[in-house]
Amino acid sequence: MFDLAKITDKTLLEGILSVFYSFCGIPHASGAEKPLSDQLLKRFQSAGLIASQDVHGNLTVDFPATAGHEHAPLTAVQGHLDMVCAARAGSGWDGRTDPVRTQIIDGWLCSDGASSLGADCGIGNAAAIWLLTDAAIAHGPVRLLLTVDEETGLRGAQAMDASCVRDVRYFINLDGFSAHQAVISSASGLRETFRRSLKTCPTQGQTAVRLALTGLRGGHSGYDIGKNRANAVRELCTYLRALPVSYELTDLHGGTASNAIPFSCEVTLVIAEEDISRLRASARRFQTALLKRFGTQEPDIAVTLTRVDRPAAVWIPECTRAVIDLCTSLRDGVYAMRSDIRDCVRASSNLGTIVTTGDAIEVHTMVRCADPREERVLTALHEVTAEGTGFTRHADGYPAWPGSTASPLARRMDRLRRRLVGAPLELVATHVGLEPSVFYAKNPQMELVSIGATILHPHSPDERVELSSIVSLTRLLGATLTDIAAAP
């Protein structure tokens, strides 16, 4: 058995990178992690460990306690196997077949520039595997959980049987992005789809124009929802609701995903020719008002009018009213802020997209809440809105991990980090979904924390991880497992 403090940073880093490089040689995009899962299963079983793989490819590996620590509480260490495969334009890299080629530049590990790196969450997994198989630290019973399909909705974690954490007391997730932070709470993610039939009628007006709201920043509905960014779908529908010109409407669309703040929205309007000048003046006032409200965050807002071919059919007035009423009545933006963590959103809703699919109109939203009670309030409001506008509503998602800054496990790790590097561990909450929320729902008695190395630009060809942060992450994880074993 080794004292981790006696292992040099160089030896530690070489060991972890050796494990990580083995991941890089096996393509493991979301939904295609089976080859990597198979290789790891073989490795663990060859080492004499009790390891199993479920039908989805999730792995469960039990590491027995080192001698003298058999009665320590069971600790789960968890990460996800899949990576987001982002290729640089023109690189020719294919995440389904090509390995990730790596390089080290100025103290950072990155790809060769052709692809994303997969440090999210490969570095955390490599650190855990090296610690438990090669470093031979003192620890109590440890269960390693490696999941699939995290990047596409936490699906692997959701599919795992609750027995995997039934007896777990401490749960350490390794999907963090900063070595000096510990995440102690994450939000739920509820995707809503509102749908109603679309009916049309022959066009009556003379002149057709394309009205477009563009130039907005958009952003992530979790990370950016509290940054006072304009929602293009919401703003355009609000404008249409009070438009001082009679119009017929067709082809209203905007947004790219339920979890992205829309940066553009467009609609085709059919009006009387004599109303063109009034509409242009109204559009200019609309742009001026938006710049006044959001100019600091949205300096490139543009509202444009372009003549287009007159469509043969438009939406019937009932459909037009229903869509605009829905999109202006659904909650959008921040609903509540946390009181225990500064500038942290606790509950929000994002009006993500509006599209037409065949003979139907669909609106997609994303509700995020750290408190399940607030999620129930928001969804109840949305249900009433849907019913009143003739839309059906379907929802699916993952639960919240409420957490607390008073978490004993987080406080323990803060104390250990102060001892190791002389600096505190910042306790933060995140307004996005993390796998601990899914596992928390399976066993709410666990104490959970999420930590990680310092990773910049994840999910892009510029992804990189700081080498020194890999060392500090690994030493903190090792010290935590040893401390739990010695003083549960």
Side-chain angles (χ1 to χ4, degrees):
M1 189 180 304
F2 296 111
D3 179 353
L4 194 59
K6 295 180 180 179
I7 300 178
T8 67
D9 289 355
K10 181 176 183 294
T11 299
L12 182 151
L13 192 58
E14 287 176 349
I16 295 168
L17 292 184
S18 176
V19 178
F20 179 72
Y21 292 152
S22 71
F23 300 165
C24 293
I26 305 173
H28 51 284
S30 300
E33 310 94 333
K34 189 67 163 54
L36 178 56
S37 179
D38 288 345
Q39 188 234 45
L40 288 172
L41 179 66
K42 182 178 179 180
R43 171 179 180 159
F44 295 132
Q45 290 179 336
S46 297
L49 296 165
I50 299 174
S52 62
Q53 181 188 68
D54 68 16
V55 295
H56 307 282
N58 297 303
L59 293 177
T60 301
V61 189
D62 282 311
F63 293 82
T66 53
H69 302 294
E70 294 83 359
H71 299 294
L74 177 61
T75 299
V77 177
Q78 185 266 325
H80 63 85
L81 292 174
D82 58 323
M83 66 172 282
V84 171
C85 293
R88 192 175 300 280
S91 69
W93 186 81
D94 188 339
R96 296 168 298 180
T97 57
D98 296 339
V100 174
R101 294 176 290 272
T102 64
Q103 57 183 335
I104 293 175
I105 301 176
D106 297 330
W108 293 79
L109 175 67
C110 51
S111 74
D112 64 354
S115 71
S116 47
L117 178 63
D120 166 22
C121 178
I123 281 295
N125 295 340
I129 291 171
W130 180 82
L131 265 179
L132 294 166
T133 59
D134 295 340
I137 60 169
H139 61 78
V142 175
R143 179 166 295 159
L144 180 64
L145 302 173
L146 298 174
T147 58
V148 298
D149 247 352
E150 186 270 350
E151 300 289 3
T152 55
L154 317 183
R155 295 176 182 173
Q158 293 188 78
M160 291 191 79
D161 191 272
S163 62
C164 68
V165 290
R166 181 173 297 143
D167 300 318
V168 171
R169 179 169 172 185
Y170 300 111
F171 185 100
I172 303 172
N173 168 269
L174 300 174
D175 199 18
F177 289 87
S178 175
H180 70 272
Q181 292 182 335
V183 178
I184 50 80
S185 172
S186 65
S188 64
L190 188 70
R191 289 179 171 87
E192 299 177 304
T193 298
F194 300 88
R195 197 172 194 272
R196 69 164 287 159
S197 61
L198 172 61
K199 296 181 180 179
T200 62
C201 60
T203 304
Q204 300 297 315
Q206 307 155 305
T207 303
V209 293
R210 169 68 67 182
L211 173 65
L213 171 57
T214 60
L216 281 66
R217 294 183 64 182
H220 191 284
S221 71
Y223 294 116
D224 301 318
I225 198 73
K227 296 180 179 178
N228 193 38
R229 295 183 183 176
N231 182 311
V233 173
R234 176 66 160 230
E235 296 301 332
L236 186 59
C237 287
T238 300
Y239 170 71
L240 292 174
R241 188 169 193 168
L243 191 62
V245 172
S246 296
Y247 64 87
E248 297 167 289
L249 179 151
T250 188
D251 194 23
L252 172 59
H253 66 274
T256 58
S258 61
N259 62 349
I261 302 170
F263 53 80
S264 66
C265 189
E266 298 183 353
V267 65
T268 296
L269 301 177
V270 181
I271 61 174
E273 178 64 30
E274 59 266 26
D275 286 333
I276 279 287
S277 59
R278 290 178 62 203
L279 182 58
R280 290 193 185 281
S282 174
R284 286 194 295 270
R285 290 193 299 271
F286 178 37
Q287 177 176 301
T288 299
L290 289 175
L291 286 169
K292 185 175 181 179
R293 287 172 57 204
F294 300 104
T296 302
Q297 290 292 329
E298 307 280 11
D300 299 320
I301 287 176
V303 179
T304 58
L305 277 177
T306 308
R307 287 181 181 264
V308 295
D309 293 338
R310 179 177 179 271
V314 292
W315 297 1
I316 65 172
E318 179 187 355
C319 285
T320 297
R321 285 192 301 271
V323 171
I324 291 175
D325 285 348
L326 180 78
C327 291
T328 55
S329 299
L330 292 172
R331 281 279 183 171
D332 181 69
V334 175
Y335 179 73
M337 300 291 291
R338 291 187 72 116
S339 59
D340 57 338
I341 299 176
R342 183 181 177 185
D343 298 329
C344 182
V345 178
R346 191 176 71 220
S348 72
S349 178
N350 179 63
L351 175 58
T353 67
I354 178 169
V355 295
T356 55
T357 56
D359 59 353
I361 310 163
E362 286 190 0
V363 173
H364 302 270
T365 69
M366 184 74 156
V367 173
R368 299 179 185 272
C369 298
D371 186 334
R373 293 170 297 182
E374 287 175 330
E375 181 177 281
R376 290 193 290 270
V377 170
L378 281 172
T379 56
L381 291 172
H382 287 186
E383 287 170 354
V384 170
T385 299
E387 184 177 353
T389 52
F391 280 80
T392 60
R393 175 184 172 274
H394 172 75
D396 64 84
Y398 47 84
W401 163 29
S404 168
T405 53
S407 161
L409 177 58
R411 295 297 181 184
R412 180 197 293 257
M413 297 176 81
D414 172 59
R415 171 176 54 80
L416 292 170
R417 189 170 192 272
R418 289 173 189 268
R419 189 181 74 192
L420 288 168
V421 302
L425 193 62
E426 181 185 1
L427 305 186
V428 300
T430 183
H431 196 56
V432 298
L434 291 179
E435 286 176 299
S437 69
V438 176
F439 289 105
Y440 172 79
K442 299 178 192 293
N443 179 4
Q445 304 306 312
M446 295 188 298
E447 294 181 26
L448 302 90
V449 165
S450 176
I451 56 175
T454 298
I455 300 174
L456 300 182
H457 313 299
H459 304 183
S460 81
D462 296 318
E463 182 180 359
R464 59 194 61 222
V465 56
E466 188 179 31
L467 295 178
S468 61
S469 75
I470 299 174
V471 174
S472 61
L473 164 67
T474 307
R475 293 198 183 281
L476 177 59
L477 177 60
T480 302
L481 295 177
T482 298
D483 193 65
I484 289 172

